[in-house]
């Protein structure tokens, strides 16, 4: 047999594959209309290749042609920014815009400006893999530094062209006939500036901890002093010499108390449930030598970031109820709390939980136990019965007067979108997800009745272990795979199969029972309840979740196609690569 020459000159004589004629170029991106930034061009619909008599013709185009897509997103926090970056760097022929109600990017870090706000996971792990930061000033950097980091990502990769600030999304409606989402947006506060943006895919990255909530306490609005929430901290708030009530003992309250304690005349902290206070190095500054070393030796810095990741990925061990890791942590943290509250043993009895470590999101609290035991601080282990013009009453009789009430009462984590999202048969997602037991999402992203709709960090995400930034990035990589498939195979609609979603949820709820997350504690994982389903979390470790994302089960979705034959995108036997 004659061996085939590697450089076979006879090949030159072959006629070149036909070039895809221009008429197939239905995917050309329509440029933004200059001077009309809010008027969004619509995408031409691909044609069908079936003739009028019903016979089938192969499309004279190569495999690999892309449909032009328009993707609209909500949010310019870490999730929206990262989505813009990933689409810009990994996709072609996609128009992308993300709307944010705020005047700047950063989401959580733009909004939360209370004294002491900082990362509770090591900052070196709280960075995108494509934009590591060697010069974090502290192990757990302050909020302002993280906000600056988010701005830097936007600037470095030129992402601001995708972001429309001061634009609030008011609602979205699915148009089944056209297979488009119509997204209603308001620019600024002016109701006359509302417009509708139409897109193929609608991504909701509006934040799982963005909808802050005031406590539901009778008489709250009667209070005549200053009433504030930690997530909406007024810049000019002066607490010097004030009598302050602090309601709640989640991460926000735990970060606030040590900061305000030295300023105020007195602070009463209202604690209605026990919690774990973790030993922590939060706030520890990094030396200039250490920062320079990370800058000068990027490999070493990368190695450090990898180590942090490995550590975070091992955390699921202690979440398993009855595990050795859980027992060790329970003992270590109990000792830490007992020691910190030596001078107030009665506080320890009330604050020390019986539920597992991690049932609520662990709260590092440097300086918290010290602040709690200062003479000007008093812990009131009770809920609040009612509030009047000047004070708070507990146990129907204990009334105290205050100048300021700080509500560190957390967020609405029901996952109900904050605007109507109207899907198939006019079903509103706000209603579909109105009960915890019905709040189901497939891999935290997809739910039935809402085709071409994706939530970032929806129900069942790995948001309880380590830095959420890493999860956001892995989730967006999966979304990119999905968009690519959608674009190349000229998919018209995708929708998660309801049976798959139900089976998955059945499995998740059973699997969660093996973890301390289902212990009897109130937490935002259960939207503030102590009983009922854990809706916020994936039932396994982060690696478990990431492994599931690596190899998508496309068969779990129902699809419809633009072309009447789903294989039409195979085209004429050539691939785009060889045609080009
Ligand atoms: C105080 C605080 C500290 C935290 N610390 C950590 C930490 O240390 N480590 C960690 O891993 N996680 C932490 N988290 C979780 C945190 O939420 C995530 O780390 C991350 O910032 C989430 O990013 P996101 O983009 O998904 O959401 P967000 O940052 O909340 O951004 C959502 C964006 O959507 C916008 N938006 C919402 N609704 C609309 C609308 N209708 N129209 C237009 N725009 C809208 C908002 O304005 C916001 O900018 C913390 C959360 C809080 C509240
Ligand atoms: N980087 C950080 O360190 C950091 C800082 C802040 C927030 N976060 C993130 O955001 C999450 C939420 O933290 P958060 O502290 O804002 O909220 P949270 O953990 O949900 O805590 C809310 C607190 O308010 C109390 N509360 C709510 N309603 C009340 C009422 N009507 N009367 C009395 N008390 C009431 C709750 O008590 P019950 O438990 O009894 O309901 C709880 O102690 C954190 O878990 C974390 O993921 C992180």
């Amino acid at each position: 047999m004659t061996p085939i020459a590697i450089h076979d000159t006879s090949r030159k004589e072959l006629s070149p594959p036909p070039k895809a004629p221009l008429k197939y170029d239905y995917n050309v991106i329509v440029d933004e209309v200059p001077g009309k930034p809010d008027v969004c061009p619509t995408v031409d619909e691909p044609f069908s290749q079936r003739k009028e008599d019903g016979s089938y013709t192969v499309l004279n185009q190569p495999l690999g042609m892309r449909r032009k897509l328009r993707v609209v997103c909500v949010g310019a926090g870490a999730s929206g920014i990262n989505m813009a970056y990933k689409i810009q760097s990994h996709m072609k022929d996609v128009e992308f815009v993300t709307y944010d109600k705020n005047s700047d990017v950063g989401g959580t870090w733009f909004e939360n400006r209370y004294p002491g706000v900082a990362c509770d996971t090591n900052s070196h792990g709280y960075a995108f893999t494509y934009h590591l930061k060697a010069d974090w000033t502290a192990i757990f950097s302050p909020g302002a530094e993280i906000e600056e980091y988010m701005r830097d990502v936007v600037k470095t990769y030129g992402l601001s062209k995708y972001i429309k600030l001061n634009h609030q999304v008011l609602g979205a409606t699915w148009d089944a006939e056209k297979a488009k989402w119509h997204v209603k947006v308001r620019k600024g506060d002016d109701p006359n500036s509302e417009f509708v943006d139409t897109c193929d895919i609608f991504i909701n990255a509006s934040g799982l901890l963005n909808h802050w909530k005031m406590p539901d306490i009778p008489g709250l609005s009667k209070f005549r002093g200053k009433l504030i929430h930690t997530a909406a901290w007024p810049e000019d708030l002066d607490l010097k010499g004030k009598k302050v009530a602090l309601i709640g003992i989640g991460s926000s309250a735990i970060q606030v108390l040590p900061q305000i304690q030295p300023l105020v005349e007195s602070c009463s902290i209202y604690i209605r449930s026990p919690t774990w206070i973790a030993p922590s190095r939060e706030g520890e500054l990094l030396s200039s030598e250490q920062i320079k070393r990370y800058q000068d030796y990027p490999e070493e810095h990368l190695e450090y970031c990898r180590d942090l990741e490995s550590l975070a990925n091992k955390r699921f061990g202690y979440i398993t109820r009855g595990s050795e890791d859980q027992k060790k942590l329970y003992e270590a943290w109990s000792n830490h709390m007992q020691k910190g509250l030596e001078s107030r043993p009665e506080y320890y009895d009330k604050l020390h939980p019986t539920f597992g470590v991690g049932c609520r999101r662990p709260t590092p609290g440097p300086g918290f136990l010290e602040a709690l035991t200062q003479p000007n601080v008093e812990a009131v282990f009770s809920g609040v019965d009612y509030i009047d013009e000047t004070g708070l009453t507990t146990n129907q009789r204990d009334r105290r007067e205050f100048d300021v009430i700080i509500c560190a009462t957390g967020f609405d984590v029901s996952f109900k979108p904050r605007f109507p999202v109207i899907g198939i048969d006019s079903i509103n997602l706000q209603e579909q997800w109105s009960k915890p037991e019905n709040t189901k999402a497939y891999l935290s992203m997809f739910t039935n009745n809402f085709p071409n709709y994706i939530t970032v960090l929806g129900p069942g995400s790995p948001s309880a272990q380590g830095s959420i930034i890493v999860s956001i990035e892995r989730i967006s990589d999966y979304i990119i795979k999905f968009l690519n498939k959608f674009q190349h195979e000229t998919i018209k609609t995708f929708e998660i199969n309801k049976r798959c979603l139900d089976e998955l949820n059945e499995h998740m709820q059973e699997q969660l029972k093996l973890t301390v997350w289902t212990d009897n504690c109130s937490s935002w994982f259960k939207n503030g309840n102590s009983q009922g389903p854990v809706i916020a979390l994936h039932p396994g470790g982060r690696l478990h979740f990431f492994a599931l994302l690596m190899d998508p089960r496309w068969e779990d979705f129902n699809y419809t196609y633009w072309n009447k034959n789903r294989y039409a995108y195979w085209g004429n036997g050539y691939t785009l690569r060889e045609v080009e």
Side-chain angles (χ1 to χ4, degrees), residues 74-80 99-102 106-109 111-112 114 117-121 126 167-169 205-210 252 361 411 418-419 457 466-469 472:
V74 195
S79 298
Y99 295 106
D100 201 295
K101 62 182 167 51
N102 292 340
T108 289
W109 307 103
E111 293 186 16
N112 286 267
Y114 58 81
V117 61
C119 219
D120 65 357
T121 46
Y126 199 86
H167 281 69
Q168 184 176 2
V169 170
S206 60
L208 86 163
L209 292 163
N210 189 260
S252 302
R361 183 168 162 113
F411 300 82
R418 286 154 80 182
F419 45 81
L457 297 175
S467 159
I468 219 166
I469 295 291
I472 287 173

Side-chain angles (χ1 to χ4, degrees), residues 109 114 117-121 209 213 215-217 229-230 247-253 255 270 272-273 282 360-361 364 382-384 408-411 463 522-524 528:
W109 307 103
Y114 58 81
V117 61
C119 219
D120 65 357
T121 46
L209 292 163
K213 61 174 186 201
D216 187 14
I217 300 173
H229 190 280
T230 44
I247 305 177
I249 188 165
S251 310
S252 302
Q255 287 186 332
Y270 288 84
R272 66 176 182 188
S273 319
E282 190 174 6
R360 297 165 70 124
R361 183 168 162 113
S382 165
V384 180
T409 44
F411 300 82
S463 47
S522 59
S523 93
W524 64 260

Side-chain angles (χ1 to χ4, degrees), residues 72-301:
V72 167
C73 179
V74 195
S79 298
I81 293 171
N82 173 65
M83 207 63 239
Y85 170 83
K86 294 280 176 173
I87 285 185
Q88 174 171 274
S89 38
H90 296 290
M91 296 203 71
K92 281 184 180 162
D93 297 345
V94 176
E95 288 178 347
F96 178 78
V97 63
T98 189
Y99 295 106
D100 201 295
K101 62 182 167 51
N102 292 340
S103 60
D104 208 342
V105 301
T108 289
W109 307 103
F110 173 81
E111 293 186 16
N112 286 267
R113 289 162 182 273
Y114 58 81
V117 61
C119 219
D120 65 357
T121 46
N122 189 314
S123 302
H124 287 275
Y126 199 86
F128 299 115
T129 51
Y130 50 87
H131 197 70
L132 294 179
K133 179 172 156 70
D135 61 348
W136 289 110
T137 57
I139 293 183
F140 296 89
S141 297
E145 203 175 327
I146 306 172
E147 189 191 350
E148 191 48 48
Y149 167 80
M150 294 296 165
R151 269 198 232 110
D152 189 46
V153 174
V154 171
K155 194 168 159 227
T156 306
Y157 303 100
L159 304 177
S160 57
K161 56 180 171 283
Y162 306 111
I163 299 170
K164 293 212 186 292
L165 298 170
N166 294 313
H167 281 69
Q168 184 176 2
V169 170
L170 304 175
T173 307
W174 172 243
D175 179 340
E177 202 180 310
K178 295 203 169 95
K180 305 271 185 225
W181 280 99
H182 300 300
V183 183
K184 193 170 169 193
V185 186
R186 183 167 62 212
K187 186 176 179 182
D189 294 330
D190 180 3
N192 296 323
S193 68
E194 288 176 13
F195 62 94
V196 173
D197 189 349
T198 297
C199 60
D200 302 278
I201 311 261
F202 180 40
I203 300 180
N204 189 342
S206 60
L208 86 163
L209 292 163
N210 189 260
H211 191 186
W212 54 268
K213 61 174 186 201
M214 280 294 193
D216 187 14
I217 300 173
L220 186 77
S221 57
K222 289 189 193 147
F223 186 65
R224 280 198 266 107
K226 282 222 183 279
L227 176 69
I228 58 166
H229 190 280
T230 44
W233 195 271
E235 247 172 60
D236 56 355
L237 184 70
D238 182 7
L239 291 175
K240 227 173 273 165
K242 297 283 189 313
K243 286 191 202 131
V244 175
L246 175 60
I247 305 177
I249 188 165
S251 310
S252 302
I254 287 170
Q255 287 186 332
V256 162
L257 184 69
Q259 302 298 318
I260 64 169
Q261 175 273 321
L263 305 174
V264 299
E265 181 188 308
S266 67
C267 178
S268 302
I269 172 165
Y270 288 84
I271 304 171
R272 66 176 182 188
S273 319
T275 199
W276 287 105
I277 307 294
S280 155
R281 295 165 65 200
E282 190 174 6
E284 193 174 297
L285 293 177
L286 287 161
S287 67
S288 52
E289 290 80 35
Q290 186 63 71
I291 293 172
K292 189 159 180 335
R293 179 134 190 121
Y294 288 147
Q295 286 172 323
D296 292 347
Y297 298 91
E299 282 302 319
E300 194 176 308
H301 180 235

Side-chain angles (χ1 to χ4, degrees), residues 11-28:
R11 275 169 168 256
K12 284 187 188 139
E13 283 147 35
L14 287 175
S15 54
K19 276 221 178 284
L22 264 183
K23 69 170 181 156
Y24 296 117
D25 205 5
Y26 51 75
N27 299 309
V28 172

